[in-house]
Amino acid sequence: MFDMYDANLVYECAGNTQINWYLISHNEFTKYCISLNLFKKQIYLDANADDEYLADIIRELNVYRYNIYSLPIPFNDTNVISEEKIRFLSKKLKKCKLLFPNYEEIAVNLFERLKYLSNCNENPILDFMNENYKGIKLNNTAILLKEPNKFNRFILKNSQFNSVRILGSSDLKGVNCYDRIIVIGPINWFPEYVFNASRAKEIDIITFSCVKCYIKDEPSFIGYTPTNPIKINKREILLDNAIKDEDMIEPEEILLEPKMNWFDISNENISNEVQVNGMDRIEAIQVLLEGNYAVFLDSSESAKSLIIDFKDNTNKSKTSIDIVKLTNKSIEPGTFILLRTSGGGDYVIEIADRFMGENASKFRRIQSQWKMEFLNIIENKGVQEISKTLRALGSSIATEINVRNWASEKNISPRNFKDFLAIMKLIGKSEESAKKIWENCKRIEQSHRHAGHYIRKLLIRKVYNTNLSELKSLGRMDFELDEVDGGKMSAFRVIDIAPNQYTVPLSRVGVVYYAGGEMEYG
């Protein structure tokens, strides 16, 4: 968390930032990028943009261009352009001549440019970095990437950047300030606060020259006037040929948008619960997590989640962190979120019984008695019949799903007394007895909440005491208590956030589930 001293350092840093903007040009790569755009434009004009065969080709060509733009890697890096991929595209393009003869010339030209680059060991961005920073101390320097988890540090092994930090945008929300941050990729790929609420004395933006970019120079801090305005120097490096304005590429065109069918994975995981009238439902945002997992989070203004805020310190060998609460609407890709992935089961009951003290067995006995009577009636008459009867007795949400939930041992009682009273009437209890049993339920619920909070504190302590160096590279870590069934928390990197909100059952909020399949890009 910010204290006054830290805040002053951040304000001072933001108010005295020098931005150096380097545009790197490589003739063959520029031609490849322009040819790719012409190919896509022609497909769009011919109304073939939805053709799956062409989409496969475009997807692979897009992925290559994006990786070269976003990472300081050589053109022939086997992680982004393998011989197998070249063979795949060659086969596709040969067939393309037969299926779409109008595209033959431009497709062949594009493939030849890609083939040339796949045999080219040049790395213009890293070469420029090695030359530009020769003799400069880089002790407090960081490299900012769009997707830091995709970068193989081995590429920097034999360079002067071997020990610099690799950051994502979300790492620049804390109090750590740097002497220099080297940004790889178009400016518009990164949030505005990276530049106008800067965490560095100097920001060097290095990107290829054939992309349109602009930057705002107003500070992000409300009511704050910087000591000096942001200074921007723009230099064009290694220019081959002038690029026509109409050939310049929009930065958004290069980005790879995940082809997630949010509606499908939402429906699959909330089933038909969302259509059930009267069920407790709220508006939620859907968040895609590392490893193709997902979670619904409450979208109300005040709703918050726990996140891990990394505090890299140059004087420490171990990465330090803060665990803080952030409003769900402020969560963005790259954030590391902490979620309960196992409730603690029997351990919750054990801790809850401690909170209830000597009355625990009495409270549990009363709870078991009414649950048993309720279950016996359900078994005799069936869920459908009981659902109708409970509605007749005053419950407004006695759906079959809710009846099953209320009968479950995991559910202590309905949320509303009128629904609980309907159950009590069904099993032959008076309203006076129902109130006493209701109070008993509330005592158990309160003890379970206290137990849940206690276990969460133990888990958070476990997170603090764990070396999280692998979390940034793997994107997920699990934290379990030593006690049998003691509960588990998991830290996930946020990959994407659905553009729309969903109305989901309250029981699904905060529950991590597998979204299935592999995410496609293109």
Side-chain angles (χ1 to χ4, degrees):
M1 301 296 289
F2 281 38
D3 58 26
M4 189 58 68
Y5 175 76
D6 289 330
N8 285 336
L9 285 178
V10 171
Y11 279 129
E12 183 180 348
C13 192
N16 293 277
T17 299
Q18 169 76 46
I19 294 180
N20 303 306
W21 193 352
Y22 301 105
L23 299 176
I24 310 296
S25 179
H26 186 279
N27 199 32
E28 286 301 321
F29 183 61
T30 298
K31 289 177 181 177
Y32 170 78
C33 293
I34 292 172
S35 296
L36 176 54
N37 266 25
L38 290 173
F39 188 31
K40 291 165 68 175
K41 184 178 180 181
Q42 189 61 51
I43 290 170
Y44 177 79
L45 290 174
D46 293 345
N48 286 321
D50 294 329
D51 184 88
E52 190 57 37
Y53 190 86
L54 291 171
D56 283 344
I57 298 172
I58 293 296
R59 188 176 298 123
E60 293 296 337
L61 298 173
N62 271 339
V63 167
Y64 177 73
R65 180 173 68 176
Y66 169 75
N67 283 321
I68 297 299
Y69 257 98
S70 62
L71 302 169
I73 57 176
F75 291 123
N76 66 346
D77 189 301
T78 54
N79 291 307
V80 297
I81 189 67
S82 61
E83 289 184 12
E84 182 183 354
K85 199 163 285 187
I86 288 291
R87 286 196 297 271
F88 166 81
L89 286 169
S90 177
K91 185 178 178 181
K92 283 275 187 181
L93 287 168
K94 284 178 183 176
K95 196 172 180 181
C96 183
K97 297 176 187 178
L98 301 174
L99 298 175
F100 305 97
N102 292 343
Y103 304 148
E104 179 179 356
E105 183 178 349
I106 191 170
V108 169
N109 179 273
L110 181 57
F111 179 69
E112 288 303 315
R113 297 196 185 285
L114 177 65
K115 200 171 178 181
Y116 173 86
L117 291 170
S118 71
N119 291 305
C120 178
N121 193 38
E122 294 177 33
N123 188 341
I125 287 181
L126 187 57
D127 290 346
F128 169 75
M129 288 165 60
N130 284 325
E131 182 66 29
N132 195 55
Y133 302 110
K134 188 182 293 182
I136 297 175
K137 290 184 178 180
L138 300 172
N139 297 344
N140 194 27
T141 295
I143 294 176
L144 177 64
L145 301 176
K146 177 68 175 171
E147 294 186 78
N149 56 307
K150 292 179 68 175
F151 183 58
N152 184 354
R153 283 197 66 104
F154 182 77
I155 291 170
L156 302 177
K157 187 175 180 181
N158 297 318
S159 76
Q160 59 188 314
F161 302 96
N162 184 42
S163 60
V164 301
R165 287 179 181 78
I166 305 297
L167 305 178
S169 298
S170 60
D171 296 314
L172 296 176
K173 286 187 171 182
V175 298
N176 290 330
C177 290
Y178 300 87
D179 293 335
R180 184 190 311 273
I181 294 175
I182 300 170
V183 181
I184 307 297
I187 295 167
N188 310 82
W189 283 3
F190 302 93
E192 287 184 356
Y193 65 75
V194 169
F195 307 103
N196 52 29
S198 169
R199 300 301 196 267
K201 297 173 185 176
E202 283 194 63
I203 295 180
D204 293 347
I205 303 160
I206 305 175
T207 188
F208 285 101
S209 60
C210 53
V211 65
K212 295 178 182 178
C213 290
Y214 62 90
I215 187 170
K216 288 173 62 177
D217 58 1
E218 297 89 357
S220 278
F221 299 116
I222 298 172
Y224 171 68
T225 303
T227 310
N228 300 300
I230 296 173
K231 299 177 284 293
I232 302 175
N233 293 329
K234 188 173 180 180
R235 291 177 57 195
E236 296 181 343
I237 311 296
L238 308 175
L239 277 182
D240 294 310
N241 299 312
I243 304 168
K244 298 176 183 178
D245 288 343
E246 61 265 28
D247 290 334
M248 294 291 283
I249 303 166
E250 295 290 343
E252 292 76 15
E253 290 182 55
I254 304 170
L255 280 176
L256 305 177
E257 294 299 329
K259 287 192 166 183
M260 293 298 299
N261 191 328
W262 293 104
F263 182 78
D264 282 354
I265 67 173
S266 299
N267 275 357
E268 182 180 343
N269 287 281
I270 60 178
S271 182
N272 62 348
E273 292 177 74
V274 77
Q275 280 84 36
V276 178
N277 293 328
M279 194 165 190
D280 290 324
R281 295 175 291 172
I282 64 169
E283 291 296 307
I285 55 174
Q286 189 181 25
V287 179
L288 184 68
L289 308 169
E290 189 75 39
N292 287 319
Y293 288 89
V295 66
F296 288 105
L297 300 176
D298 185 347
S299 63
S300 61
E301 295 294 333
S302 59
K304 296 181 179 181
S305 295
L306 290 174
I307 66 156
I308 296 178
D309 186 12
F310 284 91
K311 304 291 180 185
D312 291 335
N313 191 317
T314 54
N315 298 319
K316 295 181 181 179
S317 58
K318 182 180 177 182
T319 299
S320 59
I321 62 164
D322 274 343
I323 297 176
V324 298
K325 285 187 175 181
L326 184 70
T327 58
N328 291 338
K329 287 192 171 182
S330 300
I331 291 173
E332 60 185 28
T335 303
F336 288 93
I337 186 171
L338 265 177
L339 297 162
R340 285 286 286 272
T341 43
S342 176
D346 292 339
Y347 192 50
V348 170
I349 295 174
E350 180 185 331
I351 299 298
D353 284 351
R354 291 184 203 172
F355 281 115
M356 288 188 284
E358 60 184 18
N359 290 317
S361 58
K362 173 188 170 184
F363 294 154
R364 296 288 185 194
R365 187 175 64 253
I366 295 171
Q367 177 75 356
S368 296
Q369 184 62 39
W370 79 259
K371 284 275 187 177
M372 184 65 70
E373 293 176 23
F374 187 35
L375 274 170
N376 287 339
I377 295 175
I378 292 173
E379 288 177 4
N380 289 331
K381 297 188 176 181
V383 173
Q384 188 176 24
E385 183 63 30
I386 295 302
S387 173
K388 293 177 183 177
T389 304
L390 289 176
R391 286 199 293 270
L393 290 171
S395 172
S396 59
I397 60 169
T399 63
E400 292 181 32
I401 291 175
N402 281 343
V403 170
R404 291 190 187 95
N405 287 338
W406 295 337
S408 169
E409 287 185 6
K410 294 181 180 179
N411 184 286
I412 295 171
S413 70
R415 289 165 59 85
N416 297 313
F417 179 70
K418 68 176 182 178
D419 301 308
F420 183 75
L421 181 58
I423 295 173
M424 293 296 102
K425 289 177 180 178
L426 178 72
I427 64 175
K429 302 293 183 183
S430 66
E431 186 167 346
E432 184 178 349
S433 295
K435 287 178 180 178
K436 290 180 180 179
I437 298 173
W438 175 257
E439 288 175 5
N440 186 82
C441 292
K442 296 301 111 180
R443 291 191 188 100
I444 295 174
E445 281 182 0
Q446 185 180 44
S447 297
H448 276 242
R449 277 196 300 273
H450 289 325
H453 293 156
Y454 174 77
I455 291 172
R456 188 177 74 167
K457 285 181 181 178
L458 294 180
L459 286 166
I460 289 174
R461 191 181 303 164
K462 185 114 181 177
V463 177
Y464 271 117
N465 293 329
T466 301
N467 188 335
L468 301 180
S469 58
E470 290 186 359
L471 177 57
K472 283 192 173 183
S473 58
L474 299 176
R476 174 182 176 174
M477 283 186 77
D478 297 323
F479 310 92
E480 296 185 72
L481 297 180
D482 295 332
E483 290 80 357
V484 176
D485 200 18
K488 181 169 72 174
M489 286 189 104
S490 299
F492 292 92
R493 181 189 286 113
V494 172
I495 301 299
D496 199 13
I497 297 171
N500 302 314
Q501 292 188 13
Y502 298 89
T503 303
V504 301
L506 189 59
S507 61
R508 299 301 313 217
V509 175
V511 178
V512 177
Y513 62 89
Y514 186 61
E518 292 187 4
M519 193 166 57
E520 293 183 350
Y521 288 88

